[in-house]
Amino acid sequence: MKKNQYAILQDTSEKVSHAIAVVVLVLLALMAILPCLHVISKSISHGTRVTAGEVLFWPVGVQFETIDYVLNKTAFWNSLKNSLIVTSLGTVIAMFTTITTAYPLSKPSFKGRKLFTLLYVISMVFFGGIVPAYMVVRTIGILDTYWACILPFAIVQFNMFIVKNYFEGLPESVEESAMIDGAGDVRTLWSIVVPMSMPVIATVSLLYAITYWNNYFHAMMYTNSSDMRTIQLYLYDIINNGQAFAENLYSGWNTGGAAISANVTTEGMVAAAVTMSMVPIVAFYPFVQRFMIQGITVGSVKG
Amino acid sequence: MKDVKRIPIRTKVHNFFVYFRQHPWLYIMLIPGLFFLCVYKFWPLYGIKMAFQDYNIFLGSNPMEAIALSPWVGLKHFRKLFASSNFLRVLSNTLIINGMKIVILFPIPIIVAILLNEIRRRNARKLLQTSIYIPYFFSWVVVFGIFYSLLGTYGIVNGLLSGLGIERVRFFTDQKIFRWLLVFTEGWKEVGYNAVIYLAAITGIDVGLYEAAKIDGANKWRLTWHITLPGILPTIVLMLILKVGYILDTGFEQVLVFYNAAVYDVADIIQTYVYRLSMGKMDFSMSTALGLFNSVVAFVLIIGANTVSKRLLNRSIW
């Protein structure tokens, strides 16, 4: 009898806590998703409906003129191209330096391991500041080139340590047998260690790709010609102009979203540009989020 | 200690050369990484000299050469800096904004992770986790765009407010609101990511503990309080140490993207001010001085955080 009572009690407490969890989490999920839906809806809704605030989470008076305008009348494609170049080239370079650095440092017998590791730790905890870094970039003459955007993340110490820790966790016997078979260090790394480390390599590549793709500050600091603008700079300009119009920030304009045509308003344009910049991330998300979660786990086991 | 024989330095050098000749490629491999490290991390350290000079960028044939040629002025810029009201303003803004973020946002991902762990059906949990986590992948500019759409003068929230006859709220230009906007958007972007970290820690807890407690008649609340929370306590402590240790280094890109002249008084943090001083006013010496102050304090904080972490958790944060 008593046991049964406990079972019921446990059952209700379980049910109640489960219900609370579901409600709270669904609310949080909606908070994350609905704003995105709102922006997407706005980007393909009729201009006057947008300005009137009638668009919530579903498009009203569907039109694609705004998207068309953003794609073809603004610098969208050029900045997309710039971001793709910086991201792909940057990720490849960064992964190369990360793996080639992590491998020697992961070997317990490597002479000089402590010294080289210390160099990376020092550079991680003490930063010269953005102004000296700018002077270096300007001195080596890569200001306003893709290289200026790639250099800052060509090796991120934290990512290097993730890879190094993963290498350290690999069974030593495999490497030893490769060595006995006469494979040198390069062969061992390339044909034994790297194939065994695909999970961490995928995760860290993704971390680099996101860092490059999302970076705003370095692109702004190190590029200035309009040809070199990355997608983040391009997007910022559009939002900022829209905001300046609407919020009456810099001058006397207050037109309630200046209309370019009946359908295309600055409000709609901002939404369309944000939507188009979100598309690559959202398109890749289902494929890569598995690796990200793996990465967090790997990184938090020993960061 | 006493058993360790001291190896003579000559033997050490000899051992090194033997190893080097056996594994030359391990050293060659280090070159690309060291190259980038020297160019972008160590060479700028020389630029710290600018803080003690009246730096003139046009001396010599390039900006780094100009550092060698500019005249020394000692601590002039630091005296000016510490005497200026701007310094106090940006320092307190940095601490207030990041402090608010820690106090308000720190517990949320822990709760979210515990709740996510309650969801038994795997697919439902995956779906919820994935949705909450997605904003982490957006850049600050995209987040700015999304929140501008929501909270701008003609955004959805102000549309609803004016529909109810309430005055429109200027979320981006009102000094009383702006910091809360920063805290809220930070939470929107980062809570999911941090929750996944805690969830990973919860999954590592021994299931046997829960079974045993259940047999003793513990209910859900007790299980959470007595098993889950103590189980992830090391992770919680580590995250808190990291957050406090990096208090001067976070939030730069967010503020840079979100702020505008109307809210400089409440939103301008050290790094945004350094940026405007250097790129805007071309005052490279003063901005380097402020940047150096930031780096030194940040360095002390991070070393302190690491010491605390070693003491409490027996692990280094890097």
Side-chain angles (χ1 to χ4, degrees):
Chain A
M1 184 66 198
K2 207 173 179 197
K3 203 176 174 187
N4 204 2
Q5 243 174 356
Y6 271 124
I8 290 165
L9 200 71
Q10 207 166 3
D11 209 38
T12 38
S13 94
E14 198 126 322
K15 266 185 188 156
V16 169
S17 61
H18 188 263
I20 293 173
V22 169
V23 171
V24 173
L25 292 173
V26 167
L27 281 177
L28 281 174
L30 289 178
M31 264 174 74
I33 299 295
L34 286 182
C36 308
L37 270 184
H38 171 66
V39 173
I40 295 167
S41 307
K42 241 178 165 177
S43 72
I44 51 173
S45 293
H46 193 278
T48 50
R49 302 292 182 90
V50 171
T51 325
E54 288 170 30
V55 181
L56 293 178
F57 308 113
W58 203 251
V60 183
V62 175
Q63 51 84 22
F64 294 98
E65 216 182 298
T66 318
I67 298 268
D68 185 57
Y69 184 90
V70 164
L71 292 184
N72 297 317
K73 296 276 162 57
T74 64
F76 179 80
W77 292 113
N78 189 54
S79 48
L80 184 72
K81 182 196 81 184
N82 288 337
S83 274
L84 284 175
I85 292 174
V86 168
T87 304
S88 50
L89 199 59
T91 306
V92 169
I93 291 174
M95 277 319 286
F96 179 77
T97 54
T98 300
I99 291 173
T100 53
T101 305
Y103 183 60
L105 297 187
S106 73
K107 283 184 160 309
S109 58
F110 181 66
K111 297 257 185 291
R113 169 184 156 111
K114 272 196 178 153
L115 174 78
F116 289 115
T117 309
L118 187 68
L119 285 181
Y120 283 91
V121 172
I122 290 172
S123 71
M124 199 156 79
V125 294
F126 193 83
F127 175 52
I130 58 174
V131 184
Y134 172 82
M135 295 306 167
V136 166
V137 170
R138 195 160 152 170
T139 298
I140 55 183
I142 56 170
L143 215 56
D144 211 25
T145 67
Y146 294 127
W147 300 111
C149 300
I150 290 170
L151 179 67
F153 307 112
I155 183 159
V156 171
Q157 302 92 330
F158 182 76
N159 292 348
M160 193 276 287
F161 283 122
I162 292 181
V163 175
K164 176 186 154 251
N165 288 333
Y166 193 90
F167 285 170
E168 279 168 359
L170 293 176
E172 269 174 61
S173 54
V174 185
E175 268 183 74
E176 273 165 20
S177 61
M179 288 287 187
I180 290 164
D181 287 349
D185 290 313
V186 178
R187 268 279 301 278
T188 312
L189 171 61
W190 182 247
S191 50
I192 309 281
V193 176
V194 167
M196 280 171 77
S197 309
M198 276 338 255
V200 79
I201 288 174
T203 302
V204 173
S205 306
L206 187 67
L207 288 176
Y208 276 121
I210 291 169
T211 308
Y212 278 118
W213 183 266
N214 282 349
N215 188 264
Y216 166 75
F217 169 68
H218 292 90
M220 184 188 62
M221 184 105 164
Y222 297 150
T223 64
N224 45 44
S225 66
S226 54
D227 277 1
M228 286 300 301
R229 304 187 81 76
T230 61
I231 193 99
Q232 307 300 336
L233 291 181
Y234 156 85
L235 181 61
Y236 178 79
D237 273 359
I238 288 201
I239 304 168
N240 207 34
N241 286 339
Q243 196 189 25
F245 270 118
E247 310 262 332
N248 202 1
L249 267 183
Y250 302 116
S251 66
W253 307 322
N254 196 342
T255 51
I260 291 148
S261 76
N263 274 330
V264 186
T265 58
T266 50
E267 291 289 306
M269 243 180 88
V270 168
V274 173
T275 303
M276 296 321 290
S277 313
M278 264 176 2
V279 165
I281 300 274
V282 176
F284 272 113
Y285 187 61
F287 305 106
V288 300
Q289 69 117 356
R290 184 165 68 92
F291 293 120
M292 271 313 285
I293 289 179
Q294 230 169 40
I296 291 174
T297 323
V298 173
S300 62
V301 167
K302 177 89 178 53
Chain B
M1 269 298 252
K2 45 204 169 217
D3 291 339
V4 179
K5 275 187 206 145
R6 287 194 59 103
I7 305 161
I9 196 91
R10 260 181 50 201
T11 324
K12 265 190 170 173
V13 172
H14 177 76
N15 284 348
F16 173 78
F17 277 111
V18 170
Y19 188 83
F20 185 85
R21 283 185 49 190
Q22 279 169 346
H23 300 277
W25 276 98
L26 290 182
Y27 294 89
I28 296 170
M29 273 182 209
L30 283 176
I31 293 172
L34 286 176
F35 171 75
F36 287 119
L37 198 68
C38 290
V39 172
Y40 198 72
K41 305 285 178 190
F42 291 139
W43 198 11
L45 293 180
Y46 174 67
I48 288 172
K49 256 175 89 176
M50 283 187 283
F52 306 94
Q53 298 178 320
D54 268 334
Y55 178 69
N56 178 354
I57 195 168
F58 300 110
L59 291 175
S61 56
N62 64 53
M64 290 312 273
E65 212 182 303
I67 295 173
L69 301 172
S70 293
W72 283 89
V73 294
L75 295 174
K76 176 183 149 190
H77 298 292
F78 288 93
R79 277 198 211 100
K80 217 171 107 188
L81 181 68
F82 295 139
S84 79
S85 61
N86 278 333
F87 172 72
L88 218 63
R89 181 177 59 99
V90 295
L91 179 63
S92 58
N93 279 341
T94 310
L95 294 176
I96 291 171
I97 292 168
N98 288 330
M100 279 166 78
K101 282 179 182 171
I102 294 175
V103 171
I104 295 164
L105 299 178
F106 188 77
I108 298 175
I110 303 172
I111 299 166
V112 172
I114 291 171
L115 294 179
L116 273 172
N117 195 47
E118 288 301 300
I119 308 292
R120 284 282 159 263
R121 265 181 301 172
R122 255 188 106 220
N123 287 338
R125 190 169 69 190
K126 271 266 156 64
L127 184 70
L128 286 168
Q129 180 183 318
T130 308
S131 315
I132 296 170
Y133 183 25
I134 197 168
Y136 176 71
F137 290 84
F138 297 152
S139 69
W140 275 117
V141 181
V142 166
V143 176
F144 176 49
I146 291 171
F147 276 84
Y148 171 71
S149 277
L150 294 174
L151 304 176
T153 311
Y154 299 93
I156 182 173
V157 171
N158 273 321
L160 290 176
L161 286 180
S162 70
L164 295 170
I166 304 168
E167 210 181 318
R168 289 173 191 267
V169 179
R170 294 185 164 264
F171 290 96
F172 291 88
T173 50
D174 189 327
Q175 298 202 345
K176 285 196 209 79
I177 297 174
F178 191 78
R179 282 174 183 159
W180 296 102
L181 179 69
L182 292 177
V183 173
F184 187 82
T185 49
E186 169 89 12
W188 190 76
K189 191 177 188 297
E190 307 283 330
V191 159
Y193 170 78
N194 287 306
V196 176
I197 296 179
Y198 291 116
L199 195 58
I202 292 177
T203 348
I205 297 173
D206 182 7
V207 188
L209 291 175
Y210 289 104
E211 302 294 335
K214 268 187 197 163
I215 290 166
D216 289 345
N219 62 25
K220 265 284 145 194
W221 319 109
R222 286 180 160 274
L223 291 180
T224 305
W225 189 252
H226 292 292
I227 298 174
T228 310
L229 278 177
I232 60 172
L233 193 63
T235 310
I236 295 175
V237 173
L238 181 72
M239 295 285 281
L240 191 62
I241 292 170
L242 281 173
K243 288 255 165 10
V244 176
Y246 284 96
I247 197 163
L248 290 184
D249 290 328
T250 48
F252 175 39
E253 201 153 299
Q254 181 199 19
V255 176
L256 193 66
V257 167
F258 271 76
Y259 80 161
N260 53 64
V263 288
Y264 279 170
D265 281 345
V266 294
D268 208 6
I269 58 174
I270 294 177
Q271 282 160 312
T272 51
Y273 189 57
V274 169
Y275 172 72
R276 286 207 321 282
L277 264 184
S278 57
M279 295 298 118
K281 291 190 177 165
M282 299 291 175
D283 192 345
F284 297 115
S285 286
M286 184 67 133
S287 51
T288 306
L290 181 54
L292 180 60
F293 167 81
N294 194 55
S295 294
V296 169
V297 180
F299 175 75
V300 172
L301 282 175
I302 292 160
I303 297 297
N306 193 45
T307 314
V308 173
S309 170
K310 272 183 178 163
R311 284 265 168 78
L312 285 180
L313 306 171
N314 221 355
R315 62 173 276 188
S316 152
I317 58 178
W318 47 74

